[in-house]
Amino acid sequence: MSAALQSSAPSACPACLAAPSAEALANANAPTEAQIALSVPAVHCAACISTVEHALKAHPKVKEARVNLTLKRAMIEGDPDLDADELVATLASVGYEAHELDLATIRSTATDKAGRDLLMRLGVAGFASMNVMLLSVSVWAGAADATRDLFHWISAAISLPAIGFSAQPFFRNAWRGLSARSLNMDVPITLAILLAVVMSVWETALSGHHAYFDAALTLTFFLLAGRYLDHRTRAVARSAAEELAALEVPRAIVLRDGVEHVTPAAELRVGDLILVRPGARCPVDGTVHEGSSELDRSLLTGETLPVSVHAGQGISAGEVNLTGPLTIRAAAVGRDTSLHRMADLVAIAESGRSRYTPLADKAAKLYAPGVHILSALSFIGWFIYSQDVRVSLNIAAAVLIITCPCALGLAVPAVTTAASGRLFKKGMLIKDATALERLSEVDTVIFDKTGTLTEGAPQLSNLGDHSRRDLTIALALAQGSSHPLSKALTFAAREAGIHPAQITEIKEIPGHGTEGRMGAQIVRLGRPDWLGAPETDATSAWLKVGDADPVCFRFEDSLRAGAEDTIAALIQQGRRVVLLSGDAQAPVQALAQRLGISEWQAKCLPQDKLAFITDLTQQGAKTLMVGDGLNDTAALSAAHVSISPATALDAARVASDIVLLGKDLSPVAEALVTAKRATARIRENFQIATLYNVIAVPLAIAGLATPLIAALAMSSSSIIVSLNALRLR
Amino acid sequence: MQILTLLIPISLVMGALGLVGFVYTLRSSQYEDPDGDSQRILTDEWDDHPKP
């Protein structure tokens, strides 16, 4: 690391000079307090809350910390120089994984104006309906004549403004639907509410017996409840998905006349010289102009081994620079990069995916015209029979109110909310509204290897083979480096209680390894070809002390937690499990055997994965793709439904329907079961709603439906449907 | 029937009070973290004295 800093020092100087003025500018309007938001996916109970809050508050710069369990998020206030990375480390030390979140992105969703607006309307409708119900019960109990009329007038005085305020979302949606010349679910709802209110006012004016004010209000209340549940499920998913998107900022450092400029990646030109520091992702396709280093290509190709590059060699956008700073001459920028060609592949894949019609839409398509026809027919029938507009309109209104989709409006949102809540607790975020329904149909599960079934980070596998002296030397050399193998070595050695040896003059040789001096001896840790060691198949780093033979540190990619259980559970559920990886033959085969996956393919290009899934889809299989890399994005969007871990690249997360928030893979198998049960509940709820209509509609058409019967039928069906959904929890 | 002149205003006022209470809880962000609130009552952290 120190070598990296030294070698970039001459070019960094101008930036250093420029920095103070920028700092001064920032300080001029800097807030006196810093606010930081962290996503903490693992909190789940009261003990977690106090552990996390205590750990954060113990940090000297933190003034206030509060955990929001619903959003699995911690908000921290503290000194202006508070650094999120320190807090992430603090939480890691008490055993909680945390990610920093972009505050600006969160703020737009945190207040959730639409949600509050719906809740306010729901509240108004609720309290108004309670009051009106009180008056209606007295009427049903036998209030007559002037008393009844008085009660009806008071009901009208409460209902008219309450409905005018609360039912606005339905009115607006219905109007939008009508102006687009389509019948959505809100058209019959609006018609029922308006007709009920108008008829009731008319009846009240003529001192009639029946008024439907309570029905209109409870209808609004139950439907708003469904709407709100629906909104909440989506808002939580949306804000969390945006949180993940806010983690990466596309910027690049351009060298112009030897001076560094930080530029948005969108403004890069072909021919620009771009500096990519160790740990940064390359923003363009190009050739290495200066410097040598190693590249991590795992997100693009699935390869686990870092690849070394030197001046003159090609580099693609999306690859991560590991050891030394690289200067790159851009050959393709923006839309022409290999990254974007991958995105084009996604577009092609998406256009090929058959659009899924959710169950609720299928129901609405049958329902909306049916209700109108039924209501119109009963009006015509009664008008021919009785020649009385008032009676016929009353019946038509009753039919509309009775058939109004209270239960139907609650049937889907209540179940999705219960199921999403359950899965969210397990660490899964449902991004797409229909993902649960599609998930329930899955029969084939396709996994990516690197970063999905494995952690994508190497682990030292032969610590025990080495002498303590070698380990202390290796640790001293490795601890300063940001190379993944060095990090893994450092972690493993520290776990084993090793202390670093006294080594001086440590410097990182980009593309090769780290070198230092111990007494009179030169010690080196690095690639086998640098140290004259034999090439091996496995991922390895070698240590050479003086003139002694180099010793080998072997690494393997560790399995993601829960991977074994998940695969076993999926196979036991009778699903076909396939492993598709861009990695070499040997590691893929080893992993497949270890997990008991019989079908696997190595060295898959993104196109191969896409073709594999398209073939399966054409054969009628319903596929679930689980992947994290850019090479998976096309496959993710082509699959019937897709899951990606939170560590995945932005593009992969956007392409997938469900995001796995924690490190554990085991929620996947459970999600399939939950989804199946959820869809079964949705169907049950539709059956309940249909049964209710079959009983209630003939009564309404026959003119036997009194406001009391309407209220009873509507409330009971809504409550039954909600309770049925709650069985999922 | 005279009692109605008393009872109806009372029921209306009580309903209005409930609504005002609801609006207050909504405005003061008491529905932001329902899961957290249900868990927080289980901690014994502020049992001896209220949070300052």
Side-chain angles (χ1 to χ4, degrees):
Chain A
M1 200 61 214
S2 57
L5 286 178
Q6 278 159 22
S7 62
S8 64
S11 53
C13 254
C16 288
L17 287 174
S21 64
E23 214 167 84
L25 261 178
N27 278 344
N29 47 11
T32 47
E33 281 197 344
Q35 262 206 329
I36 286 176
L38 294 177
S39 157
V40 196
V43 287
H44 67 277
C45 66
C48 298
I49 296 180
S50 56
T51 313
V52 169
E53 285 184 353
H54 275 293
L56 287 172
K57 280 179 190 159
H59 193 281
K61 290 178 196 161
V62 173
K63 288 199 182 109
E64 181 62 44
R66 193 173 170 88
V67 171
N68 184 324
L69 189 66
T70 317
L71 296 170
K72 312 237 175 212
R73 195 187 274 173
M75 293 296 297
I76 299 119
E77 279 173 27
D79 295 343
D81 58 341
L82 185 59
D83 186 25
D85 292 340
E86 292 172 32
L87 297 177
V88 170
T90 309
L91 286 185
S93 70
V94 290
Y96 289 91
E97 177 195 352
H99 310 280
E100 195 201 350
L101 300 169
D102 183 34
L103 263 182
T105 322
I106 295 170
R107 256 197 204 110
S108 58
T109 50
T111 45
D112 188 19
K113 268 183 124 174
R116 279 195 173 193
D117 183 67
L118 269 178
L119 201 54
M120 181 69 88
R121 291 180 204 279
L122 182 68
V124 170
F127 281 102
S129 67
M130 277 191 258
N131 249 335
V132 169
M133 197 55 89
L134 210 65
L135 297 162
S136 301
V137 169
S138 336
V139 173
W140 300 335
D145 308 324
T147 323
R148 183 189 59 218
D149 286 350
L150 174 69
F151 283 0
H152 278 168
W153 279 122
I154 297 174
S155 302
I158 299 171
S159 304
L160 289 176
I163 284 178
F165 173 70
S166 305
Q168 273 174 26
F170 306 115
F171 298 163
R172 268 199 296 263
N173 273 344
W175 178 248
R176 215 173 291 146
L178 282 180
S179 30
R181 296 180 174 278
S182 73
L183 270 186
N184 55 22
M185 199 74 130
D186 286 328
V187 176
I189 292 173
T190 303
L191 203 62
I193 294 173
L194 288 182
L195 202 56
V197 171
V198 170
M199 278 310 301
S200 307
V201 174
W202 191 14
E203 281 291 300
T204 307
L206 297 172
S207 68
H209 288 254
H210 297 321
Y212 284 101
F213 292 117
D214 61 294
L217 271 170
T218 34
L219 196 64
T220 317
F221 176 74
F222 280 125
L223 289 170
L224 277 172
R227 243 359 104 87
Y228 180 67
L229 286 181
D230 201 35
H231 172 85
R232 254 191 92 85
T233 325
R234 281 181 212 194
V236 168
R238 202 184 312 122
S239 69
E242 275 171 16
E243 275 171 14
L244 291 172
L247 295 176
E248 289 165 46
V249 186
R251 279 210 197 96
I253 306 168
V254 180
L255 293 175
R256 291 202 183 101
D257 309 322
V259 183
E260 293 183 16
H261 297 275
V262 177
T263 325
E267 289 173 20
L268 296 175
R269 300 271 169 275
V270 172
D272 275 351
L273 275 181
I274 292 153
L275 179 70
V276 181
R277 294 225 169 93
R281 186 164 284 145
C282 184
V284 294
D285 285 359
T287 48
V288 176
H289 181 70
E290 220 183 299
S292 53
S293 176
E294 285 179 287
L295 295 177
D296 177 358
R297 291 192 157 146
S298 60
L299 281 167
L300 276 164
T301 62
E303 291 170 70
T304 33
L305 276 179
V307 186
S308 72
V309 282
H310 306 284
Q313 282 180 309
I315 177 170
S316 316
E319 295 176 345
V320 178
N321 184 9
L322 289 177
T323 42
L326 289 173
T327 313
I328 289 153
R329 171 93 52 199
V333 296
R335 301 208 63 82
D336 303 324
T337 59
S338 47
L339 244 172
H340 264 274
R341 285 204 297 279
M342 210 82 92
D344 291 343
L345 208 58
V346 173
I348 295 168
E350 274 191 333
S351 65
R353 182 191 220 173
S354 62
R355 286 284 115 222
Y356 182 83
T357 323
L359 285 171
D361 285 9
K362 280 184 202 155
K365 220 169 257 172
L366 282 174
Y367 177 86
V371 170
H372 289 134
I373 292 168
L374 208 60
S375 166
L377 282 181
S378 22
F379 174 77
I380 294 169
W382 273 90
F383 188 68
I384 293 170
Y385 171 72
S386 66
Q387 298 291 318
D388 187 342
V389 183
R390 186 176 150 198
V391 171
S392 322
L393 258 183
N394 253 326
I395 302 278
V399 170
L400 266 181
I401 291 168
I402 287 271
T403 54
C404 210
C406 264
L408 225 50
L410 276 172
V412 178
V415 174
T416 358
T417 309
S420 309
R422 189 190 157 95
L423 290 178
F424 190 69
K425 273 188 199 141
K426 305 269 176 207
M428 282 192 122
L429 185 72
I430 316 287
K431 269 173 61 198
D432 192 277
T434 62
L436 272 174
E437 289 173 34
R438 284 183 278 138
L439 200 57
S440 70
E441 300 171 350
V442 165
D443 51 19
T444 309
V445 187
I446 298 154
F447 283 98
D448 168 48
K449 184 179 87 77
T450 317
T452 306
L453 283 177
T454 67
E455 296 258 9
Q459 255 187 359
L460 185 62
S461 59
N462 62 341
L463 184 86
D465 299 355
H466 299 284
S467 69
R468 205 173 169 84
R469 178 169 165 268
D470 284 354
L471 285 172
T472 57
I473 299 170
L475 173 60
L477 286 170
Q479 65 184 0
S481 165
S482 63
H483 191 283
L485 295 187
S486 296
K487 279 189 181 163
L489 209 164
T490 311
F491 182 76
R494 288 219 175 113
E495 286 281 284
I498 307 285
H499 293 287
Q502 278 289 334
I503 291 183
T504 51
E505 296 171 39
I506 295 178
K507 59 182 175 185
E508 199 159 355
I509 318 277
H512 294 293
T514 318
E515 192 183 74
R517 181 181 288 278
M518 186 174 71
Q521 284 179 314
I522 299 254
V523 285
R524 288 169 163 176
L525 176 73
R527 294 179 73 85
D529 44 3
W530 184 47
L531 298 172
E535 284 280 354
T536 49
D537 214 16
T539 316
S540 60
W542 295 73
L543 176 73
K544 192 176 165 79
V545 181
D547 295 328
D549 279 342
V551 288
C552 177
F553 287 90
R554 271 198 298 278
F555 297 87
E556 58 186 29
D557 203 356
S558 56
L559 270 187
R560 192 179 270 271
E564 274 170 324
D565 298 343
T566 308
I567 303 288
L570 287 174
I571 292 173
Q572 205 194 348
Q573 286 167 17
R575 291 179 225 270
R576 186 175 162 196
V577 179
V578 186
L579 174 64
L580 295 183
S581 176
D583 207 354
Q585 188 98 3
V588 179
Q589 186 171 14
L591 184 82
Q593 276 168 359
R594 185 165 163 199
L595 292 174
I597 303 175
S598 51
E599 266 185 274
W600 54 270
Q601 276 182 29
K603 293 189 175 173
C604 284
L605 294 175
Q607 291 86 338
D608 299 339
K609 292 192 181 189
L610 174 59
F612 188 86
I613 286 183
T614 329
D615 278 357
L616 277 180
T617 311
Q618 271 164 8
Q619 288 163 23
K622 303 283 186 201
T623 50
L624 163 64
M625 173 77 200
V626 188
D628 77 318
L630 265 178
N631 54 340
D632 300 316
T633 39
L636 284 170
S637 35
H640 191 54
V641 58
S642 49
I643 300 180
S644 66
T647 47
L649 262 196
D650 199 20
R653 285 197 310 258
V654 169
S656 56
D657 302 303
I658 298 168
V659 176
L660 208 54
L661 293 172
K663 281 205 165 133
D664 200 336
L665 203 62
S666 52
V668 172
E670 204 187 316
L672 286 166
V673 179
T674 308
K676 195 144 218 158
R677 282 170 56 204
T679 318
R681 290 281 174 281
I682 292 178
R683 285 182 199 282
E684 268 172 34
N685 275 353
F686 280 149
Q687 282 157 7
I688 293 172
T690 314
L691 183 74
Y692 149 78
N693 273 329
V694 166
I695 296 168
V697 168
L699 284 179
I701 294 178
L704 297 172
T706 59
L708 175 60
I709 291 177
L712 283 178
M714 229 158 50
S715 316
S716 54
S717 73
S718 297
I719 289 165
I720 290 173
V721 165
S722 311
L723 289 180
N724 191 33
L726 281 180
R727 287 206 292 148
L728 260 181
R729 280 213 170 234
Chain B
M1 280 297 139
Q2 295 307 314
I3 195 69
L4 282 183
T5 54
L6 207 63
L7 284 180
I8 290 174
I10 286 177
S11 76
L12 291 182
V13 165
M14 280 170 70
L17 274 181
L19 184 60
V20 168
F22 171 74
V23 171
Y24 162 73
T25 56
L26 185 64
R27 289 258 164 91
S28 55
S29 307
Q30 296 188 26
Y31 301 98
E32 305 284 293
D33 184 15
D35 293 355
D37 295 336
S38 68
Q39 294 287 344
R40 270 172 206 278
I41 58 167
L42 299 175
T43 61
D44 48 11
E45 212 170 313
W46 304 107
D47 280 2
D48 301 333
H49 57 93
K51 192 176 175 182

